[in-house]
Amino acid sequence: MANFRKIDESLFTTASCITRHPTPVLSYKDVPYQSALTFNAGVLKKDGKYIMIFRNDVGDFEAQRLFANEKGCITNLGLAFSDDGVHWNVEPEPCFDLHDSEIVRAYDPRVTFIDGEYCICFAVDTRHGVRGGMAVSKDLKHFEIKSMSVPDNRNMVLFPEKIGGNYVRLERPMPVYSRGGHVFDMWLSESPDLVYWGKSRLVLATEDVPFCNDKIGPGAPPIKTEKGWLVIFHAVDVDPERGKHGWEPKWQKRYTIGIALLDLNDPSKVIGMSKRPLIVPEGYYEMEQGFRTNALFPCGMLLEEDDTVRIYYSAGDAVVCMATAPLDELLALCTDPRQ
Ligand code: BMA
């Protein structure tokens, strides 16, 4: 592994401001249709109700088996509603299922409400690479696809408002030839209409994240605060000495969660970042069960009226978990990135 850099293990503790909900808030047992892995869920709060769009990988959880068709694993997106953000009712059918002769599946949704519509960003496996897709919907039943990036790109999240007159998204291209392996960074692009994207620029490079030696990717639509845009991201560290974890024969990665602050007017500028992870895998659901253990993957973050931030993240690529933290303590963690 060309770029392997061992990271000091003492960095890997969860920040003291984080309170985890003790059990996952969604698993395959909550889903009224075929389901094995329910994870990577975008979450919104609108008119006092919580809305979740989650990735649903079809299979048999108990048998540790995913079902596949002639093109590969079967994935759709499920929709769930909740009054408290903890207890979820899953709709009777998946809300989004993209596949044809070229497209294998759509997955890892993030959701933003903007201009009176829901906009979901999702990754798309195709026969010719991984693309980042965006679709809008007024009712979460009918979707209009607005754009699909060129390969390879994914982990797109749309900001909840226009900045400088344009829509803005964070994204994570995967430059395998020019960057030295799996060293992938967080980027940003702008668009006047959600269709044409440009003015692309680097936001955060992996080498500037001390708890990462592999790749990072944006997590959830950023939260606007007086100090800047609060953004959550996943950060991966690899250790070739790690062996089998979860259902996979070999899994040497650990996914932790990081937090940073972006400039309000130019969100390509990082003005704060925690030098340590915000959340690291701990306990049974995060370290022992699931498809890939040691994998935390945040796709939802929202601010409550009492200034508590809720973070929705997946554990083990299998279940959706939730943690909370006071906004001011999260902001205090985002110290000057140059120091
Ligand atoms: C990433 C994506 C995610 C997944 C994560 C952890 O590369 O495939 O869908 O949750 O790995 O396994």
Side-chain angles (χ1 to χ4, degrees):
M1 196 165 299
N3 294 297
F4 175 65
R5 172 179 64 86
K6 184 101 181 154
I7 302 178
D8 177 4
E9 229 6 75
S10 70
L11 267 186
F12 290 93
T13 55
T14 295
S16 60
C17 62
I18 289 290
T19 304
R20 286 172 160 91
H21 187 74
T23 53
V25 297
L26 194 85
S27 80
Y28 75 93
K29 293 178 185 157
D30 302 307
V31 180
Y33 42 87
Q34 278 199 321
S35 174
L37 307 172
T38 55
F39 62 119
N40 296 359
V43 182
L44 258 190
K45 190 174 182 188
K46 190 172 165 295
D47 305 328
K49 277 216 158 209
Y50 298 83
I51 301 167
M52 177 191 284
I53 300 182
F54 61 91
R55 168 175 173 174
N56 179 52
D57 281 11
V58 177
D60 182 339
F61 185 91
E62 305 303 333
Q64 301 200 349
R65 193 162 73 86
L66 290 178
F67 298 163
N69 57 25
E70 67 287 353
K71 285 190 287 176
C73 290
I74 301 169
T75 297
N76 49 47
L77 304 186
L79 174 64
F81 295 99
S82 171
D83 290 330
D84 61 5
V86 172
H87 303 91
W88 292 88
N89 293 314
V90 178
E91 291 290 284
E93 302 287 338
C95 69
F96 195 80
D97 187 352
L98 207 59
H99 63 271
D100 59 22
S101 55
E102 170 65 14
I103 295 173
V104 179
R105 58 176 178 167
Y107 57 101
D108 294 0
R110 277 79 167 194
V111 57
T112 301
F113 192 77
I114 189 165
D115 296 344
E117 287 187 313
Y118 300 94
C119 181
I120 60 164
C121 301
F122 45 89
V124 192
D125 285 349
T126 79
R127 289 180 184 270
H128 297 88
V130 180
R131 305 176 68 181
M134 299 179 86
V136 294
S137 174
K138 288 203 188 305
D139 56 8
L140 296 175
K141 291 183 183 130
H142 307 89
F143 292 87
E144 179 198 347
I145 295 195
K146 286 291 199 179
S147 64
M148 295 264 270
S149 75
V150 290
D152 276 348
N153 199 345
R154 66 178 171 198
N155 297 311
M156 286 172 176
V157 299
L158 182 67
F159 282 72
E161 62 183 68
K162 288 181 175 174
I163 304 169
N166 280 335
Y167 297 97
V168 182
R169 74 181 182 200
L170 297 172
E171 59 199 323
R172 210 287 305 283
M174 293 176 267
V176 281
Y177 285 114
S178 48
R179 191 75 174 98
H182 275 208
V183 186
F184 306 148
D185 314 297
M186 195 192 303
W187 285 68
L188 167 154
S189 294
E190 298 184 25
S191 170
D193 54 9
L194 295 177
V195 176
Y196 297 98
W197 291 90
K199 287 191 169 179
S200 302
R201 45 213 197 268
L202 178 68
V203 178
L204 183 62
T206 54
E207 62 269 26
D208 295 327
V209 178
F211 48 95
C212 167
N213 65 8
D214 193 60
K215 59 182 176 179
I216 55 172
I223 291 175
K224 192 177 195 182
T225 76
E226 281 175 6
K227 296 207 165 148
W229 291 102
L230 190 65
V231 64
I232 199 159
F233 59 91
H234 65 261
V236 180
D237 72 282
V238 181
D239 186 338
E241 284 168 16
R242 292 186 193 131
K244 176 170 165 57
H245 289 288
W247 303 7
E248 295 216 299
K250 196 164 134 196
W251 179 241
Q252 299 173 333
K253 297 177 189 170
R254 166 171 51 190
Y255 278 65
T256 60
I257 299 176
I259 195 142
L261 198 62
L262 309 179
D263 185 88
L264 281 177
N265 300 317
D266 179 0
S268 68
K269 287 192 192 141
V270 178
I271 54 172
M273 191 188 72
S274 174
K275 304 286 186 322
R276 305 175 69 107
L278 181 68
I279 311 181
V280 305
E282 281 165 22
Y284 174 73
Y285 290 108
E286 299 177 8
M287 296 184 79
E288 289 175 48
Q289 66 86 51
F291 181 68
R292 289 170 167 172
T293 57
N294 272 329
L296 305 186
F297 201 85
C299 292
M301 180 169 74
L302 51 94
L303 181 62
E304 297 288 3
E305 274 144 28
D306 66 356
D307 279 348
T308 299
V309 174
R310 282 183 192 236
I311 297 161
Y312 290 88
Y313 62 98
S314 305
D317 279 357
V319 293
V320 180
C321 297
M322 192 200 70
T324 57
L327 175 64
D328 56 349
E329 294 193 42
L330 292 177
L331 292 173
L333 290 175
C334 296
T335 51
D336 188 338
R338 290 160 305 181
Q339 287 167 6

